[in-house]
Amino acid sequence: MKSPLNGLNEINGLTGLTPPPARRAPARGAPAPRARTTEGARIRNEVRIPLHLGGGPALDATVTTFDGLPDGLEHLAVRFPAAPPPRASRTGATPPLVRLHSECMTGDVFGSARCDCGPQLHEALRQVAAAGGCLLYLRQEGRGIGLYNKLDAYRLQDGGLDTYAANRALGLADDLRDYTGAAWMLRALGHEEIDLLTNNPDKPAQLSAHGIRVRRVVPTGVFANRHNLRYLTAKVTRTAHTIDLEGASR
């Protein structure tokens, strides 16, 4: 069987790929310290967009754009009219349900079965629409490594590496996502306290570090299939995602 590293050499030979040193980051076990968030984002514009997610009625969403985000990327907030008003949590009302969803072109747009991103996106939009809140669509493709690097990592995974080992073989960190901008967006929307829809423990940890109070974590569904089972298993064993794969297989 061909070594995954031989696959990396083939990629380099065919495309001239050289992992950029500037994209390297500390290993997950030793994250770089982050400064506490200071509010800097401002709402730029809002527009209503009906969302059709297959079966069922359209979801009436308001898409919000921002100025002043720390990374300068075009992140979006997809909001729903049932969301509580700003500062609702301070009056005893239920905090908004929030999902931080990192962009995944292969899963969100093309329906790739190699991950669970597409089904998670649709599930989250429906849940947030029902409960009231927002989905932050964050332009952090491939856990922050970018689309081309993600596809290079897929090539290495086909040779036997898991999703994190493939990143490291490319000279990249396990997860380069930084949720500072998400905290700024939430604060610009008036949400100081939230319920967070996620199975990733890093998301509530980062938001809490930036002063957003996470009242409770709501688990996402499990969308396992024969193409993504190894990927989901790595997320559970390597980065402590709360995904019930035993329950999914029953």
Side-chain angles (χ1 to χ4, degrees):
M1 176 178 174
K2 182 165 61 177
S3 165
L5 292 179
N6 289 337
L8 175 60
N9 291 333
E10 290 180 8
I11 293 172
N12 290 339
L14 289 172
T15 67
L17 173 68
T18 301
R23 299 301 302 273
R24 298 189 185 191
R28 174 173 288 273
R34 294 184 175 91
R36 183 178 175 84
T37 295
T38 57
E39 185 173 358
R42 301 172 303 282
I43 291 177
R44 173 183 176 274
N45 205 350
E46 295 184 325
V47 61
R48 291 181 62 187
I49 299 179
L51 304 179
H52 291 274
L53 305 178
L59 304 179
D60 185 15
T62 297
V63 175
T64 302
T65 59
F66 298 85
D67 284 325
L69 293 174
D71 55 14
L73 298 179
E74 294 184 333
H75 306 303
L76 303 172
V78 183
R79 306 165 65 194
F80 294 92
R87 296 183 176 83
S89 60
R90 298 180 186 179
T91 65
T94 302
L97 181 63
V98 172
R99 168 73 179 165
L100 310 185
H101 186 90
S102 296
E103 178 182 30
C104 175
M105 180 176 288
T106 51
D108 298 344
V109 177
F110 299 122
S112 169
R114 293 189 67 139
C115 64
D116 58 348
C117 301
Q120 277 193 337
L121 175 61
H122 285 201
E123 174 204 48
L125 287 168
R126 290 189 177 97
Q127 286 191 241
V128 172
C134 63
L135 179 142
L136 303 188
Y137 195 81
L138 306 173
R139 312 303 295 275
Q140 302 184 128
E141 178 76 50
R143 299 197 303 272
I145 68 174
L147 179 60
Y148 279 18
N149 280 331
K150 182 179 82 170
L151 295 175
D152 292 338
Y154 278 179
R155 174 81 172 271
L156 296 180
Q157 291 170 45
D158 288 343
L161 298 183
D162 71 31
T163 180
Y164 302 108
N167 278 24
R168 294 174 186 175
L170 292 170
L172 302 168
D174 289 357
D175 193 337
L176 287 168
R177 289 175 294 180
D178 187 323
Y179 299 107
T180 303
W184 288 26
M185 293 163 73
L186 289 171
R187 190 162 284 115
L189 294 171
H191 299 319
E192 299 281 352
E193 183 177 23
I194 64 171
D195 290 341
L196 185 63
L197 180 62
T198 188
N199 58 37
N200 181 355
D202 191 42
K203 292 180 180 179
Q206 286 203 39
L207 290 180
S208 296
H210 289 299
I212 300 297
R213 296 185 296 275
V214 179
R215 187 188 70 151
R216 68 186 180 110
V217 172
V218 180
T220 60
V222 180
F223 303 99
N225 62 62
R226 65 186 180 89
H227 302 287
N228 69 14
L229 186 58
R230 192 158 62 96
Y231 164 76
L232 296 179
T233 300
K235 290 173 72 173
V236 171
T237 59
R238 301 284 289 272
T239 51
H241 282 59
T242 55
I243 306 172
D244 182 10
L245 293 177
E246 291 186 4
S249 64
R250 288 196 291 268

PDB file of all heavy atoms in Angstrom, residues 104-136:
ATOM      1  N   CYS A 104     -18.201  25.312   4.520  1.00  0.00           N
ATOM      2  CA  CYS A 104     -17.706  24.062   3.934  1.00  0.00           C
ATOM      3  C   CYS A 104     -18.304  23.955   2.541  1.00  0.00           C
ATOM      4  O   CYS A 104     -19.444  23.508   2.385  1.00  0.00           O
ATOM      5  CB  CYS A 104     -18.105  22.864   4.793  1.00  0.00           C
ATOM      6  SG  CYS A 104     -17.666  21.265   4.065  1.00  0.00           S
ATOM      7  N   MET A 105     -17.566  24.397   1.534  1.00  0.00           N
ATOM      8  CA  MET A 105     -18.116  24.392   0.180  1.00  0.00           C
ATOM      9  C   MET A 105     -18.494  22.990  -0.270  1.00  0.00           C
ATOM     10  O   MET A 105     -19.556  22.772  -0.865  1.00  0.00           O
ATOM     11  CB  MET A 105     -17.126  25.007  -0.810  1.00  0.00           C
ATOM     12  CG  MET A 105     -17.647  25.020  -2.243  1.00  0.00           C
ATOM     13  SD  MET A 105     -16.563  25.821  -3.423  1.00  0.00           S
ATOM     14  CE  MET A 105     -16.781  27.528  -2.954  1.00  0.00           C
ATOM     15  N   THR A 106     -17.643  22.008   0.024  1.00  0.00           N
ATOM     16  CA  THR A 106     -17.927  20.655  -0.451  1.00  0.00           C
ATOM     17  C   THR A 106     -19.185  20.086   0.198  1.00  0.00           C
ATOM     18  O   THR A 106     -19.981  19.413  -0.467  1.00  0.00           O
ATOM     19  CB  THR A 106     -16.730  19.734  -0.177  1.00  0.00           C
ATOM     20  OG1 THR A 106     -16.335  19.858   1.204  1.00  0.00           O
ATOM     21  CG2 THR A 106     -15.552  20.103  -1.066  1.00  0.00           C
ATOM     22  N   GLY A 107     -19.382  20.351   1.480  1.00  0.00           N
ATOM     23  CA  GLY A 107     -20.551  19.824   2.171  1.00  0.00           C
ATOM     24  C   GLY A 107     -21.786  20.692   2.035  1.00  0.00           C
ATOM     25  O   GLY A 107     -22.882  20.201   1.741  1.00  0.00           O
ATOM     26  N   ASP A 108     -21.630  22.015   2.243  1.00  0.00           N
ATOM     27  CA  ASP A 108     -22.772  22.923   2.228  1.00  0.00           C
ATOM     28  C   ASP A 108     -23.356  23.095   0.833  1.00  0.00           C
ATOM     29  O   ASP A 108     -24.565  23.195   0.664  1.00  0.00           O
ATOM     30  CB  ASP A 108     -22.361  24.307   2.754  1.00  0.00           C
ATOM     31  CG  ASP A 108     -21.881  24.287   4.194  1.00  0.00           C
ATOM     32  OD1 ASP A 108     -22.140  23.288   4.894  1.00  0.00           O
ATOM     33  OD2 ASP A 108     -21.248  25.275   4.610  1.00  0.00           O
ATOM     34  N   VAL A 109     -22.479  23.168  -0.190  1.00  0.00           N
ATOM     35  CA  VAL A 109     -22.927  23.473  -1.552  1.00  0.00           C
ATOM     36  C   VAL A 109     -23.122  22.210  -2.380  1.00  0.00           C
ATOM     37  O   VAL A 109     -24.150  22.031  -3.040  1.00  0.00           O
ATOM     38  CB  VAL A 109     -21.928  24.417  -2.252  1.00  0.00           C
ATOM     39  CG1 VAL A 109     -22.352  24.690  -3.693  1.00  0.00           C
ATOM     40  CG2 VAL A 109     -21.793  25.720  -1.473  1.00  0.00           C
ATOM     41  N   PHE A 110     -22.131  21.306  -2.344  1.00  0.00           N
ATOM     42  CA  PHE A 110     -22.147  20.148  -3.235  1.00  0.00           C
ATOM     43  C   PHE A 110     -22.701  18.881  -2.576  1.00  0.00           C
ATOM     44  O   PHE A 110     -22.845  17.860  -3.243  1.00  0.00           O
ATOM     45  CB  PHE A 110     -20.743  19.878  -3.770  1.00  0.00           C
ATOM     46  CG  PHE A 110     -20.175  21.021  -4.565  1.00  0.00           C
ATOM     47  CD1 PHE A 110     -18.993  21.624  -4.196  1.00  0.00           C
ATOM     48  CD2 PHE A 110     -20.845  21.499  -5.679  1.00  0.00           C
ATOM     49  CE1 PHE A 110     -18.472  22.687  -4.929  1.00  0.00           C
ATOM     50  CE2 PHE A 110     -20.334  22.555  -6.423  1.00  0.00           C
ATOM     51  CZ  PHE A 110     -19.146  23.153  -6.050  1.00  0.00           C
ATOM     52  N   GLY A 111     -22.989  18.937  -1.280  1.00  0.00           N
ATOM     53  CA  GLY A 111     -23.575  17.782  -0.611  1.00  0.00           C
ATOM     54  C   GLY A 111     -22.614  16.642  -0.381  1.00  0.00           C
ATOM     55  O   GLY A 111     -23.019  15.472  -0.336  1.00  0.00           O
ATOM     56  N   SER A 112     -21.323  16.937  -0.200  1.00  0.00           N
ATOM     57  CA  SER A 112     -20.329  15.888   0.030  1.00  0.00           C
ATOM     58  C   SER A 112     -20.695  15.041   1.236  1.00  0.00           C
ATOM     59  O   SER A 112     -21.099  15.552   2.286  1.00  0.00           O
ATOM     60  CB  SER A 112     -18.944  16.518   0.260  1.00  0.00           C
ATOM     61  OG  SER A 112     -18.019  15.554   0.734  1.00  0.00           O
ATOM     62  N   ALA A 113     -20.512  13.733   1.099  1.00  0.00           N
ATOM     63  CA  ALA A 113     -20.757  12.793   2.202  1.00  0.00           C
ATOM     64  C   ALA A 113     -19.502  12.527   3.015  1.00  0.00           C
ATOM     65  O   ALA A 113     -19.540  11.723   3.948  1.00  0.00           O
ATOM     66  CB  ALA A 113     -21.318  11.486   1.656  1.00  0.00           C
ATOM     67  N   ARG A 114     -18.380  13.191   2.693  1.00  0.00           N
ATOM     68  CA  ARG A 114     -17.144  12.968   3.448  1.00  0.00           C
ATOM     69  C   ARG A 114     -17.163  13.668   4.801  1.00  0.00           C
ATOM     70  O   ARG A 114     -16.293  13.422   5.632  1.00  0.00           O
ATOM     71  CB  ARG A 114     -15.940  13.447   2.640  1.00  0.00           C
ATOM     72  CG  ARG A 114     -15.669  12.630   1.397  1.00  0.00           C
ATOM     73  CD  ARG A 114     -14.356  13.002   0.742  1.00  0.00           C
ATOM     74  NE  ARG A 114     -13.205  12.649   1.554  1.00  0.00           N
ATOM     75  CZ  ARG A 114     -12.074  12.119   1.067  1.00  0.00           C
ATOM     76  NH1 ARG A 114     -11.960  11.880  -0.235  1.00  0.00           N
ATOM     77  NH2 ARG A 114     -11.085  11.831   1.860  1.00  0.00           N
ATOM     78  N   CYS A 115     -18.112  14.559   5.021  1.00  0.00           N
ATOM     79  CA  CYS A 115     -18.240  15.251   6.305  1.00  0.00           C
ATOM     80  C   CYS A 115     -19.717  15.275   6.673  1.00  0.00           C
ATOM     81  O   CYS A 115     -20.546  14.687   5.992  1.00  0.00           O
ATOM     82  CB  CYS A 115     -17.663  16.667   6.209  1.00  0.00           C
ATOM     83  SG  CYS A 115     -18.553  17.732   5.046  1.00  0.00           S
ATOM     84  N   ASP A 116     -20.040  15.959   7.761  1.00  0.00           N
ATOM     85  CA  ASP A 116     -21.440  16.089   8.182  1.00  0.00           C
ATOM     86  C   ASP A 116     -21.914  17.533   8.112  1.00  0.00           C
ATOM     87  O   ASP A 116     -22.945  17.887   8.688  1.00  0.00           O
ATOM     88  CB  ASP A 116     -21.627  15.528   9.598  1.00  0.00           C
ATOM     89  CG  ASP A 116     -20.735  16.208  10.640  1.00  0.00           C
ATOM     90  OD1 ASP A 116     -19.807  16.947  10.248  1.00  0.00           O
ATOM     91  OD2 ASP A 116     -20.953  15.985  11.848  1.00  0.00           O
ATOM     92  N   CYS A 117     -21.182  18.391   7.392  1.00  0.00           N
ATOM     93  CA  CYS A 117     -21.437  19.827   7.430  1.00  0.00           C
ATOM     94  C   CYS A 117     -22.766  20.213   6.790  1.00  0.00           C
ATOM     95  O   CYS A 117     -23.515  21.033   7.339  1.00  0.00           O
ATOM     96  CB  CYS A 117     -20.292  20.582   6.756  1.00  0.00           C
ATOM     97  SG  CYS A 117     -18.686  20.299   7.526  1.00  0.00           S
ATOM     98  N   GLY A 118     -23.078  19.652   5.625  1.00  0.00           N
ATOM     99  CA  GLY A 118     -24.325  19.998   4.964  1.00  0.00           C
ATOM    100  C   GLY A 118     -25.553  19.663   5.796  1.00  0.00           C
ATOM    101  O   GLY A 118     -26.406  20.536   6.033  1.00  0.00           O
ATOM    102  N   PRO A 119     -25.684  18.418   6.277  1.00  0.00           N
ATOM    103  CA  PRO A 119     -26.829  18.097   7.134  1.00  0.00           C
ATOM    104  C   PRO A 119     -26.858  18.923   8.416  1.00  0.00           C
ATOM    105  O   PRO A 119     -27.936  19.315   8.878  1.00  0.00           O
ATOM    106  CB  PRO A 119     -26.625  16.608   7.442  1.00  0.00           C
ATOM    107  CG  PRO A 119     -25.826  16.087   6.303  1.00  0.00           C
ATOM    108  CD  PRO A 119     -24.914  17.204   5.906  1.00  0.00           C
ATOM    109  N   GLN A 120     -25.686  19.209   9.002  1.00  0.00           N
ATOM    110  CA  GLN A 120     -25.655  20.052  10.199  1.00  0.00           C
ATOM    111  C   GLN A 120     -26.172  21.455   9.901  1.00  0.00           C
ATOM    112  O   GLN A 120     -26.891  22.047  10.716  1.00  0.00           O
ATOM    113  CB  GLN A 120     -24.237  20.140  10.759  1.00  0.00           C
ATOM    114  CG  GLN A 120     -23.830  18.977  11.646  1.00  0.00           C
ATOM    115  CD  GLN A 120     -22.561  19.289  12.413  1.00  0.00           C
ATOM    116  OE1 GLN A 120     -21.765  20.134  12.029  1.00  0.00           O
ATOM    117  NE2 GLN A 120     -22.368  18.592  13.513  1.00  0.00           N
ATOM    118  N   LEU A 121     -25.791  22.006   8.752  1.00  0.00           N
ATOM    119  CA  LEU A 121     -26.241  23.351   8.385  1.00  0.00           C
ATOM    120  C   LEU A 121     -27.758  23.400   8.274  1.00  0.00           C
ATOM    121  O   LEU A 121     -28.409  24.299   8.833  1.00  0.00           O
ATOM    122  CB  LEU A 121     -25.588  23.774   7.069  1.00  0.00           C
ATOM    123  CG  LEU A 121     -26.042  25.113   6.489  1.00  0.00           C
ATOM    124  CD1 LEU A 121     -25.729  26.263   7.433  1.00  0.00           C
ATOM    125  CD2 LEU A 121     -25.394  25.352   5.124  1.00  0.00           C
ATOM    126  N   HIS A 122     -28.349  22.449   7.576  1.00  0.00           N
ATOM    127  CA  HIS A 122     -29.799  22.447   7.402  1.00  0.00           C
ATOM    128  C   HIS A 122     -30.511  22.214   8.731  1.00  0.00           C
ATOM    129  O   HIS A 122     -31.524  22.873   9.019  1.00  0.00           O
ATOM    130  CB  HIS A 122     -30.195  21.379   6.385  1.00  0.00           C
ATOM    131  CG  HIS A 122     -29.891  21.775   4.975  1.00  0.00           C
ATOM    132  ND1 HIS A 122     -30.522  21.207   3.883  1.00  0.00           N
ATOM    133  CD2 HIS A 122     -29.017  22.676   4.460  1.00  0.00           C
ATOM    134  CE1 HIS A 122     -30.068  21.747   2.769  1.00  0.00           C
ATOM    135  NE2 HIS A 122     -29.142  22.630   3.097  1.00  0.00           N
ATOM    136  N   GLU A 123     -29.997  21.279   9.535  1.00  0.00           N
ATOM    137  CA  GLU A 123     -30.584  21.038  10.854  1.00  0.00           C
ATOM    138  C   GLU A 123     -30.541  22.299  11.693  1.00  0.00           C
ATOM    139  O   GLU A 123     -31.531  22.674  12.351  1.00  0.00           O
ATOM    140  CB  GLU A 123     -29.828  19.913  11.562  1.00  0.00           C
ATOM    141  CG  GLU A 123     -30.299  19.699  13.007  1.00  0.00           C
ATOM    142  CD  GLU A 123     -29.255  19.036  13.894  1.00  0.00           C
ATOM    143  OE1 GLU A 123     -28.081  19.475  13.878  1.00  0.00           O
ATOM    144  OE2 GLU A 123     -29.617  18.101  14.629  1.00  0.00           O
ATOM    145  N   ALA A 124     -29.401  22.973  11.703  1.00  0.00           N
ATOM    146  CA  ALA A 124     -29.233  24.158  12.540  1.00  0.00           C
ATOM    147  C   ALA A 124     -30.165  25.285  12.103  1.00  0.00           C
ATOM    148  O   ALA A 124     -30.785  25.956  12.940  1.00  0.00           O
ATOM    149  CB  ALA A 124     -27.777  24.627  12.502  1.00  0.00           C
ATOM    150  N   LEU A 125     -30.299  25.503  10.800  1.00  0.00           N
ATOM    151  CA  LEU A 125     -31.196  26.555  10.329  1.00  0.00           C
ATOM    152  C   LEU A 125     -32.632  26.285  10.765  1.00  0.00           C
ATOM    153  O   LEU A 125     -33.349  27.199  11.200  1.00  0.00           O
ATOM    154  CB  LEU A 125     -31.113  26.676   8.813  1.00  0.00           C
ATOM    155  CG  LEU A 125     -29.825  27.313   8.272  1.00  0.00           C
ATOM    156  CD1 LEU A 125     -29.728  27.117   6.768  1.00  0.00           C
ATOM    157  CD2 LEU A 125     -29.755  28.800   8.624  1.00  0.00           C
ATOM    158  N   ARG A 126     -33.048  25.031  10.672  1.00  0.00           N
ATOM    159  CA  ARG A 126     -34.425  24.708  11.082  1.00  0.00           C
ATOM    160  C   ARG A 126     -34.605  24.891  12.591  1.00  0.00           C
ATOM    161  O   ARG A 126     -35.620  25.429  13.048  1.00  0.00           O
ATOM    162  CB  ARG A 126     -34.764  23.273  10.666  1.00  0.00           C
ATOM    163  CG  ARG A 126     -34.907  23.084   9.155  1.00  0.00           C
ATOM    164  CD  ARG A 126     -35.457  21.712   8.820  1.00  0.00           C
ATOM    165  NE  ARG A 126     -35.667  21.544   7.383  1.00  0.00           N
ATOM    166  CZ  ARG A 126     -34.815  20.949   6.566  1.00  0.00           C
ATOM    167  NH1 ARG A 126     -33.692  20.420   7.043  1.00  0.00           N
ATOM    168  NH2 ARG A 126     -35.079  20.850   5.281  1.00  0.00           N
ATOM    169  N   GLN A 127     -33.632  24.437  13.380  1.00  0.00           N
ATOM    170  CA  GLN A 127     -33.758  24.556  14.828  1.00  0.00           C
ATOM    171  C   GLN A 127     -33.722  26.007  15.284  1.00  0.00           C
ATOM    172  O   GLN A 127     -34.497  26.415  16.156  1.00  0.00           O
ATOM    173  CB  GLN A 127     -32.645  23.762  15.532  1.00  0.00           C
ATOM    174  CG  GLN A 127     -32.841  22.269  15.491  1.00  0.00           C
ATOM    175  CD  GLN A 127     -31.875  21.538  16.417  1.00  0.00           C
ATOM    176  OE1 GLN A 127     -31.075  20.736  15.984  1.00  0.00           O
ATOM    177  NE2 GLN A 127     -31.950  21.834  17.695  1.00  0.00           N
ATOM    178  N   VAL A 128     -32.821  26.785  14.701  1.00  0.00           N
ATOM    179  CA  VAL A 128     -32.719  28.185  15.087  1.00  0.00           C
ATOM    180  C   VAL A 128     -33.975  28.948  14.660  1.00  0.00           C
ATOM    181  O   VAL A 128     -34.474  29.809  15.391  1.00  0.00           O
ATOM    182  CB  VAL A 128     -31.445  28.820  14.501  1.00  0.00           C
ATOM    183  CG1 VAL A 128     -31.422  30.317  14.739  1.00  0.00           C
ATOM    184  CG2 VAL A 128     -30.202  28.181  15.112  1.00  0.00           C
ATOM    185  N   ALA A 129     -34.508  28.623  13.476  1.00  0.00           N
ATOM    186  CA  ALA A 129     -35.740  29.269  13.031  1.00  0.00           C
ATOM    187  C   ALA A 129     -36.894  28.965  13.973  1.00  0.00           C
ATOM    188  O   ALA A 129     -37.734  29.823  14.251  1.00  0.00           O
ATOM    189  CB  ALA A 129     -36.080  28.824  11.611  1.00  0.00           C
ATOM    190  N   ALA A 130     -36.951  27.748  14.489  1.00  0.00           N
ATOM    191  CA  ALA A 130     -38.039  27.357  15.384  1.00  0.00           C
ATOM    192  C   ALA A 130     -37.890  27.977  16.763  1.00  0.00           C
ATOM    193  O   ALA A 130     -38.881  28.393  17.384  1.00  0.00           O
ATOM    194  CB  ALA A 130     -38.089  25.835  15.502  1.00  0.00           C
ATOM    195  N   ALA A 131     -36.655  28.058  17.243  1.00  0.00           N
ATOM    196  CA  ALA A 131     -36.435  28.529  18.608  1.00  0.00           C
ATOM    197  C   ALA A 131     -36.269  30.040  18.691  1.00  0.00           C
ATOM    198  O   ALA A 131     -36.542  30.644  19.731  1.00  0.00           O
ATOM    199  CB  ALA A 131     -35.197  27.844  19.197  1.00  0.00           C
ATOM    200  N   GLY A 132     -35.811  30.654  17.593  1.00  0.00           N
ATOM    201  CA  GLY A 132     -35.456  32.066  17.616  1.00  0.00           C
ATOM    202  C   GLY A 132     -33.981  32.242  17.923  1.00  0.00           C
ATOM    203  O   GLY A 132     -33.487  31.744  18.936  1.00  0.00           O
ATOM    204  N   GLY A 133     -33.266  32.904  17.055  1.00  0.00           N
ATOM    205  CA  GLY A 133     -31.837  33.102  17.272  1.00  0.00           C
ATOM    206  C   GLY A 133     -31.138  33.369  15.967  1.00  0.00           C
ATOM    207  O   GLY A 133     -31.710  33.970  15.051  1.00  0.00           O
ATOM    208  N   CYS A 134     -29.894  32.922  15.848  1.00  0.00           N
ATOM    209  CA  CYS A 134     -29.146  33.196  14.625  1.00  0.00           C
ATOM    210  C   CYS A 134     -28.101  32.117  14.386  1.00  0.00           C
ATOM    211  O   CYS A 134     -27.618  31.463  15.312  1.00  0.00           O
ATOM    212  CB  CYS A 134     -28.476  34.573  14.678  1.00  0.00           C
ATOM    213  SG  CYS A 134     -27.240  34.771  15.977  1.00  0.00           S
ATOM    214  N   LEU A 135     -27.780  31.951  13.118  1.00  0.00           N
ATOM    215  CA  LEU A 135     -26.670  31.109  12.690  1.00  0.00           C
ATOM    216  C   LEU A 135     -25.598  32.036  12.144  1.00  0.00           C
ATOM    217  O   LEU A 135     -25.867  32.842  11.247  1.00  0.00           O
ATOM    218  CB  LEU A 135     -27.118  30.103  11.636  1.00  0.00           C
ATOM    219  CG  LEU A 135     -26.041  29.159  11.087  1.00  0.00           C
ATOM    220  CD1 LEU A 135     -26.611  27.767  10.853  1.00  0.00           C
ATOM    221  CD2 LEU A 135     -25.431  29.687   9.784  1.00  0.00           C
ATOM    222  N   LEU A 136     -24.403  31.961  12.701  1.00  0.00           N
ATOM    223  CA  LEU A 136     -23.274  32.728  12.195  1.00  0.00           C
ATOM    224  C   LEU A 136     -22.539  31.863  11.176  1.00  0.00           C
ATOM    225  O   LEU A 136     -22.010  30.806  11.528  1.00  0.00           O
ATOM    226  CB  LEU A 136     -22.331  33.135  13.330  1.00  0.00           C
ATOM    227  CG  LEU A 136     -22.953  33.945  14.477  1.00  0.00           C
ATOM    228  CD1 LEU A 136     -21.855  34.427  15.413  1.00  0.00           C
ATOM    229  CD2 LEU A 136     -23.801  35.101  13.974  1.00  0.00           C
TER     230      LEU A 136
END
